[in-house]
Amino acid sequence: MAAPTPTQGTANTPSPALGLRDRHGRTATDLRVSLTDRCNLRCTYCMPEAGLPWLPKPELLTDAEVSRLVGIAVRDLGVNEVRFTGGEPLLRPGLVDIVTAAAALEPRPEISLTTNAIGLERLAAPLVAAGLDRVNVSLDTLNPGTFKELAKRDRLEATLRGIEGAAASGLAPVKLNTVLMRGVNDAEAPALLRFAIAHGYQLRFIEQMPLDAAGVWRRDEMVTAAEILEALKAEFDLVPDPAHRGSAPAETWLVDGGPAKVGVIGSVTRPFCGDCDRTRLTADGQVRNCLFARGETDLRGLMREGASDAEIGARWREAMWGKLPGHGIDDPSFLQPARPMSAIGG
Ligand code: SAM
């Protein structure tokens, strides 16, 4: 058999020439960077009410370290989209500077933020000036009591103010992410869609994934994509969106003839692992090649030992090369990752 050419890589080694490839033919170009494991909400599907043992400060990447790793990903590894998340990324004091540094990179990546929007009415304008292109805001309910029950904090008003602030700063379209929980907010799906359409926001429902800190997720309790669609179809005319989906996690539908759309991210019942183009960096500098990966690759240690950009890039490529073909939630041997969503970065 012919030896592999340098651009193919071997079964055990990624090719240096092809960016963040894996051995199943996917290439990661979308980087999710968690900037903190802390959050000012306690959404029950994500974090316990008492919080978690937070990462000690010396273990967190500094702003300069985050920017160096983002730079390596964009300049050397083919990443063209950078999404900052957490925990709650608006809690990171250096966020505006981190966005500024990302926006100065060549080639310039798309820069987005996933946030609960608390404080965004104040921060949206400086973030846009720094180079933020898009924002996704988590909004699970329009009912203050339900918000308090679900997030353990009475902050619906602050969230809505932040969403308005984002739209007023020109971030468009503002995308809203909703996780439905049975018996808590699942009856609100149509009302949330009416709200989104009325304000020109784009709503996406996300199936609840087994990433809660307490490990109490149960598949039979999860509100499925099929159920969400059924509830929406009772009130709206939904037609599959003819636009090409690509590697987008959301399947989208045109609502009442369009142009309004609604998305459903069926991570559990309609997995899209075959098209996954994500690579993830935790706030303490660990690469995760999948949200559900059991292992991580330490770039912080390597960086602090004095490694060059080329050495860090090579380690990152190795980490991605080993990405599994799917998250395996449906496999009986599935084990929930040790870190909950808030510590991975959603
Ligand atoms: N604090 C920010 C926010 O609220 O958007 C960013 C971090 S949060 C972990 C990112 C996204 O992950 C949110 O849209 C949240 O709803 C989602 N999320 C968290 N835990 C989840 C779970 N178990 N299943 C599905 N989505 C989850």
Side-chain angles (χ1 to χ4, degrees), residues 223-266:
V223 182
T224 64
E227 288 175 288
I228 296 165
L229 287 167
E230 199 181 299
L232 295 177
K233 281 177 178 166
E235 296 202 25
F236 301 92
D237 179 34
L238 299 188
V239 176
D241 182 1
H244 179 56
R245 180 177 175 192
S247 57
E251 286 179 76
T252 48
W253 281 263
L254 295 177
V255 182
D256 291 340
K261 295 181 184 186
V262 65
V264 178
I265 303 182

Short mmCIF file of all heavy atoms in Angstrom, two decimals, residues 223-266:
data_model
loop_
_atom_site.label_atom_id
_atom_site.label_comp_id
_atom_site.label_asym_id
_atom_site.label_seq_id
_atom_site.Cartn_x
_atom_site.Cartn_y
_atom_site.Cartn_z
N VAL A 223 -38.08 17.41 26.49
CA VAL A 223 -39.04 17.84 25.46
C VAL A 223 -38.33 17.70 24.12
O VAL A 223 -37.30 18.33 23.88
CB VAL A 223 -39.49 19.30 25.69
CG1 VAL A 223 -40.51 19.71 24.65
CG2 VAL A 223 -40.04 19.48 27.10
N THR A 224 -38.87 16.83 23.26
CA THR A 224 -38.15 16.51 22.01
C THR A 224 -38.43 17.54 20.91
O THR A 224 -39.45 18.25 20.96
CB THR A 224 -38.57 15.13 21.49
OG1 THR A 224 -39.96 15.20 21.14
CG2 THR A 224 -38.35 14.04 22.52
N ALA A 225 -37.57 17.52 19.91
CA ALA A 225 -37.77 18.39 18.73
C ALA A 225 -39.15 18.14 18.13
O ALA A 225 -39.86 19.08 17.75
CB ALA A 225 -36.67 18.14 17.71
N ALA A 226 -39.54 16.87 18.05
CA ALA A 226 -40.84 16.54 17.44
C ALA A 226 -41.98 17.16 18.25
O ALA A 226 -42.94 17.70 17.68
CB ALA A 226 -41.00 15.02 17.37
N GLU A 227 -41.87 17.11 19.57
CA GLU A 227 -42.93 17.71 20.40
C GLU A 227 -42.96 19.23 20.23
O GLU A 227 -44.04 19.85 20.22
CB GLU A 227 -42.68 17.38 21.87
CG GLU A 227 -42.95 15.94 22.23
CD GLU A 227 -42.57 15.67 23.68
OE1 GLU A 227 -41.36 15.62 23.98
OE2 GLU A 227 -43.46 15.53 24.51
N ILE A 228 -41.80 19.83 20.14
CA ILE A 228 -41.72 21.30 19.99
C ILE A 228 -42.41 21.70 18.68
O ILE A 228 -43.24 22.62 18.63
CB ILE A 228 -40.25 21.77 20.01
CG1 ILE A 228 -39.61 21.47 21.36
CG2 ILE A 228 -40.15 23.26 19.68
CD1 ILE A 228 -38.09 21.56 21.38
N LEU A 229 -42.09 20.97 17.61
CA LEU A 229 -42.67 21.29 16.31
C LEU A 229 -44.18 21.10 16.33
O LEU A 229 -44.93 21.91 15.78
CB LEU A 229 -42.03 20.42 15.22
CG LEU A 229 -40.60 20.84 14.89
CD1 LEU A 229 -39.90 19.79 14.05
CD2 LEU A 229 -40.61 22.19 14.15
N GLU A 230 -44.62 20.05 17.00
CA GLU A 230 -46.07 19.79 17.08
C GLU A 230 -46.77 20.95 17.78
O GLU A 230 -47.81 21.45 17.32
CB GLU A 230 -46.28 18.49 17.85
CG GLU A 230 -47.62 17.84 17.64
CD GLU A 230 -47.70 16.58 18.49
OE1 GLU A 230 -46.89 15.68 18.28
OE2 GLU A 230 -48.58 16.55 19.40
N ALA A 231 -46.19 21.40 18.88
CA ALA A 231 -46.80 22.51 19.62
C ALA A 231 -46.84 23.78 18.77
O ALA A 231 -47.83 24.53 18.78
CB ALA A 231 -46.02 22.77 20.91
N LEU A 232 -45.79 24.03 18.01
CA LEU A 232 -45.75 25.25 17.19
C LEU A 232 -46.73 25.14 16.03
O LEU A 232 -47.40 26.12 15.67
CB LEU A 232 -44.33 25.50 16.66
CG LEU A 232 -43.27 25.80 17.72
CD1 LEU A 232 -41.90 25.96 17.07
CD2 LEU A 232 -43.62 27.07 18.51
N LYS A 233 -46.82 23.93 15.47
CA LYS A 233 -47.68 23.77 14.29
C LYS A 233 -49.16 23.94 14.65
O LYS A 233 -49.98 24.21 13.78
CB LYS A 233 -47.44 22.41 13.65
CG LYS A 233 -46.18 22.40 12.79
CD LYS A 233 -45.91 21.02 12.21
CE LYS A 233 -44.66 21.07 11.32
NZ LYS A 233 -44.15 19.74 10.97
N ALA A 234 -49.49 23.80 15.92
CA ALA A 234 -50.88 24.02 16.33
C ALA A 234 -51.26 25.49 16.16
O ALA A 234 -52.43 25.83 16.04
CB ALA A 234 -51.06 23.58 17.78
N GLU A 235 -50.25 26.38 16.14
CA GLU A 235 -50.56 27.81 16.05
C GLU A 235 -49.98 28.51 14.83
O GLU A 235 -50.39 29.60 14.49
CB GLU A 235 -50.07 28.54 17.30
CG GLU A 235 -50.80 28.06 18.53
CD GLU A 235 -50.75 29.07 19.66
OE1 GLU A 235 -50.59 30.27 19.39
OE2 GLU A 235 -50.89 28.61 20.80
N PHE A 236 -48.97 27.88 14.22
CA PHE A 236 -48.29 28.55 13.10
C PHE A 236 -48.20 27.58 11.92
O PHE A 236 -48.16 26.36 12.11
CB PHE A 236 -46.86 28.95 13.49
CG PHE A 236 -46.78 29.88 14.66
CD1 PHE A 236 -46.62 29.38 15.96
CD2 PHE A 236 -46.85 31.25 14.49
CE1 PHE A 236 -46.54 30.22 17.05
CE2 PHE A 236 -46.78 32.11 15.58
CZ PHE A 236 -46.62 31.60 16.86
N ASP A 237 -48.11 28.18 10.75
CA ASP A 237 -47.86 27.37 9.56
C ASP A 237 -46.34 27.30 9.39
O ASP A 237 -45.68 28.33 9.23
CB ASP A 237 -48.52 28.09 8.36
CG ASP A 237 -48.29 27.33 7.08
OD1 ASP A 237 -48.26 26.08 7.15
OD2 ASP A 237 -48.12 27.98 6.02
N LEU A 238 -45.78 26.10 9.47
CA LEU A 238 -44.32 25.95 9.37
C LEU A 238 -43.96 25.20 8.09
O LEU A 238 -44.47 24.11 7.84
CB LEU A 238 -43.76 25.16 10.57
CG LEU A 238 -43.96 25.73 11.97
CD1 LEU A 238 -43.17 24.90 12.98
CD2 LEU A 238 -43.53 27.19 12.05
N VAL A 239 -43.06 25.79 7.31
CA VAL A 239 -42.58 25.16 6.08
C VAL A 239 -41.06 25.06 6.18
O VAL A 239 -40.41 26.05 6.56
CB VAL A 239 -42.96 26.03 4.85
CG1 VAL A 239 -42.39 25.44 3.57
CG2 VAL A 239 -44.45 26.18 4.75
N PRO A 240 -40.48 23.87 5.88
CA PRO A 240 -39.01 23.77 5.98
C PRO A 240 -38.32 24.88 5.21
O PRO A 240 -38.71 25.19 4.08
CB PRO A 240 -38.71 22.39 5.38
CG PRO A 240 -39.97 21.61 5.54
CD PRO A 240 -41.10 22.62 5.43
N ASP A 241 -37.33 25.48 5.83
CA ASP A 241 -36.60 26.59 5.22
C ASP A 241 -35.77 26.05 4.05
O ASP A 241 -34.96 25.15 4.25
CB ASP A 241 -35.68 27.18 6.31
CG ASP A 241 -34.89 28.38 5.83
OD1 ASP A 241 -35.06 28.78 4.67
OD2 ASP A 241 -34.10 28.90 6.64
N PRO A 242 -35.95 26.60 2.84
CA PRO A 242 -35.18 26.07 1.70
C PRO A 242 -33.69 26.44 1.76
O PRO A 242 -32.89 25.87 1.03
CB PRO A 242 -35.85 26.72 0.48
CG PRO A 242 -36.59 27.89 1.01
CD PRO A 242 -36.90 27.64 2.45
N ALA A 243 -33.31 27.37 2.65
CA ALA A 243 -31.90 27.79 2.70
C ALA A 243 -31.03 26.60 3.12
O ALA A 243 -31.43 25.78 3.94
CB ALA A 243 -31.73 28.94 3.69
N HIS A 244 -29.82 26.54 2.56
CA HIS A 244 -28.89 25.45 2.86
C HIS A 244 -28.49 25.48 4.34
O HIS A 244 -28.10 26.51 4.86
CB HIS A 244 -27.65 25.60 1.96
CG HIS A 244 -26.62 24.56 2.19
ND1 HIS A 244 -26.89 23.21 2.11
CD2 HIS A 244 -25.30 24.66 2.53
CE1 HIS A 244 -25.79 22.52 2.38
NE2 HIS A 244 -24.83 23.38 2.64
N ARG A 245 -28.58 24.33 5.02
CA ARG A 245 -28.31 24.30 6.46
C ARG A 245 -26.81 24.29 6.76
O ARG A 245 -26.37 24.83 7.78
CB ARG A 245 -28.97 23.05 7.05
CG ARG A 245 -28.75 22.90 8.53
CD ARG A 245 -29.49 21.68 9.04
NE ARG A 245 -29.20 21.42 10.44
CZ ARG A 245 -29.54 20.30 11.05
NH1 ARG A 245 -30.17 19.34 10.39
NH2 ARG A 245 -29.25 20.12 12.33
N GLY A 246 -26.01 23.67 5.91
CA GLY A 246 -24.57 23.58 6.15
C GLY A 246 -24.29 22.90 7.47
O GLY A 246 -24.91 21.89 7.79
N SER A 247 -23.40 23.48 8.25
CA SER A 247 -23.05 22.86 9.53
C SER A 247 -23.85 23.47 10.69
O SER A 247 -23.54 23.25 11.85
CB SER A 247 -21.56 23.01 9.80
OG SER A 247 -21.23 24.38 9.76
N ALA A 248 -24.87 24.29 10.35
CA ALA A 248 -25.66 24.94 11.41
C ALA A 248 -26.39 23.87 12.23
O ALA A 248 -26.98 22.95 11.65
CB ALA A 248 -26.66 25.90 10.80
N PRO A 249 -26.35 23.99 13.55
CA PRO A 249 -27.03 22.99 14.37
C PRO A 249 -28.55 23.07 14.28
O PRO A 249 -29.24 22.09 14.50
CB PRO A 249 -26.55 23.29 15.78
CG PRO A 249 -26.08 24.70 15.75
CD PRO A 249 -25.62 24.97 14.36
N ALA A 250 -29.07 24.24 13.95
CA ALA A 250 -30.54 24.39 13.94
C ALA A 250 -31.13 24.02 12.59
O ALA A 250 -30.64 24.44 11.54
CB ALA A 250 -30.91 25.84 14.28
N GLU A 251 -32.19 23.20 12.63
CA GLU A 251 -33.03 23.04 11.44
C GLU A 251 -34.00 24.20 11.51
O GLU A 251 -34.57 24.47 12.57
CB GLU A 251 -33.82 21.74 11.53
CG GLU A 251 -33.02 20.48 11.30
CD GLU A 251 -33.90 19.25 11.43
OE1 GLU A 251 -34.68 18.96 10.51
OE2 GLU A 251 -33.81 18.60 12.48
N THR A 252 -34.25 24.84 10.37
CA THR A 252 -35.12 26.02 10.44
C THR A 252 -36.38 25.85 9.59
O THR A 252 -36.39 25.12 8.60
CB THR A 252 -34.37 27.30 10.01
OG1 THR A 252 -33.68 27.04 8.80
CG2 THR A 252 -33.38 27.75 11.05
N TRP A 253 -37.40 26.55 10.01
CA TRP A 253 -38.69 26.56 9.33
C TRP A 253 -39.12 28.00 9.08
O TRP A 253 -38.87 28.87 9.94
CB TRP A 253 -39.75 25.87 10.19
CG TRP A 253 -39.68 24.38 10.14
CD1 TRP A 253 -40.43 23.54 9.36
CD2 TRP A 253 -38.81 23.53 10.90
NE1 TRP A 253 -40.06 22.23 9.58
CE2 TRP A 253 -39.08 22.20 10.51
CE3 TRP A 253 -37.81 23.76 11.85
CZ2 TRP A 253 -38.40 21.10 11.06
CZ3 TRP A 253 -37.13 22.69 12.38
CH2 TRP A 253 -37.42 21.37 11.99
N LEU A 254 -39.74 28.24 7.94
CA LEU A 254 -40.35 29.55 7.68
C LEU A 254 -41.67 29.57 8.42
O LEU A 254 -42.45 28.59 8.38
CB LEU A 254 -40.59 29.75 6.19
CG LEU A 254 -39.35 29.80 5.30
CD1 LEU A 254 -39.75 29.93 3.83
CD2 LEU A 254 -38.45 30.97 5.71
N VAL A 255 -41.96 30.66 9.11
CA VAL A 255 -43.18 30.77 9.90
C VAL A 255 -44.22 31.57 9.13
O VAL A 255 -43.92 32.70 8.69
CB VAL A 255 -42.88 31.47 11.25
CG1 VAL A 255 -44.15 31.52 12.10
CG2 VAL A 255 -41.78 30.75 12.00
N ASP A 256 -45.38 30.99 8.96
CA ASP A 256 -46.49 31.66 8.27
C ASP A 256 -46.05 32.29 6.96
O ASP A 256 -46.34 33.45 6.68
CB ASP A 256 -47.14 32.71 9.20
CG ASP A 256 -47.88 32.04 10.37
OD1 ASP A 256 -48.21 30.83 10.26
OD2 ASP A 256 -48.09 32.71 11.39
N GLY A 257 -45.30 31.53 6.18
CA GLY A 257 -44.88 31.99 4.86
C GLY A 257 -43.60 32.81 4.86
O GLY A 257 -43.13 33.21 3.80
N GLY A 258 -43.02 33.09 6.03
CA GLY A 258 -41.78 33.85 6.13
C GLY A 258 -42.04 35.35 6.06
O GLY A 258 -43.17 35.75 5.93
N PRO A 259 -41.03 36.22 6.13
CA PRO A 259 -39.62 35.84 6.25
C PRO A 259 -39.23 35.35 7.65
O PRO A 259 -38.10 34.91 7.84
CB PRO A 259 -38.87 37.12 5.90
CG PRO A 259 -39.81 38.21 6.32
CD PRO A 259 -41.21 37.68 6.10
N ALA A 260 -40.14 35.45 8.64
CA ALA A 260 -39.77 35.00 9.99
C ALA A 260 -39.45 33.51 9.96
O ALA A 260 -40.05 32.74 9.22
CB ALA A 260 -40.92 35.28 10.95
N LYS A 261 -38.47 33.13 10.79
CA LYS A 261 -38.05 31.73 10.86
C LYS A 261 -38.01 31.28 12.30
O LYS A 261 -37.86 32.10 13.21
CB LYS A 261 -36.62 31.57 10.31
CG LYS A 261 -36.48 31.88 8.85
CD LYS A 261 -35.03 31.68 8.41
CE LYS A 261 -34.86 32.07 6.95
NZ LYS A 261 -33.53 31.77 6.43
N VAL A 262 -38.11 29.97 12.49
CA VAL A 262 -37.87 29.41 13.82
C VAL A 262 -36.93 28.22 13.64
O VAL A 262 -37.00 27.52 12.63
CB VAL A 262 -39.19 29.01 14.52
CG1 VAL A 262 -39.91 27.88 13.79
CG2 VAL A 262 -38.93 28.61 15.98
N GLY A 263 -36.04 28.04 14.61
CA GLY A 263 -35.08 26.94 14.52
C GLY A 263 -35.30 25.94 15.64
O GLY A 263 -35.80 26.29 16.71
N VAL A 264 -34.95 24.70 15.38
CA VAL A 264 -34.98 23.67 16.42
C VAL A 264 -33.64 22.95 16.37
O VAL A 264 -33.23 22.48 15.30
CB VAL A 264 -36.14 22.68 16.22
CG1 VAL A 264 -36.10 21.60 17.29
CG2 VAL A 264 -37.49 23.40 16.26
N ILE A 265 -32.98 22.91 17.51
CA ILE A 265 -31.69 22.23 17.60
C ILE A 265 -31.92 20.91 18.32
O ILE A 265 -32.03 20.86 19.55
CB ILE A 265 -30.65 23.12 18.33
CG1 ILE A 265 -30.53 24.48 17.61
CG2 ILE A 265 -29.30 22.42 18.42
CD1 ILE A 265 -29.51 25.43 18.20
N GLY A 266 -32.04 19.85 17.54
CA GLY A 266 -32.38 18.54 18.11
C GLY A 266 -31.12 17.75 18.44
O GLY A 266 -30.92 16.66 17.93
#
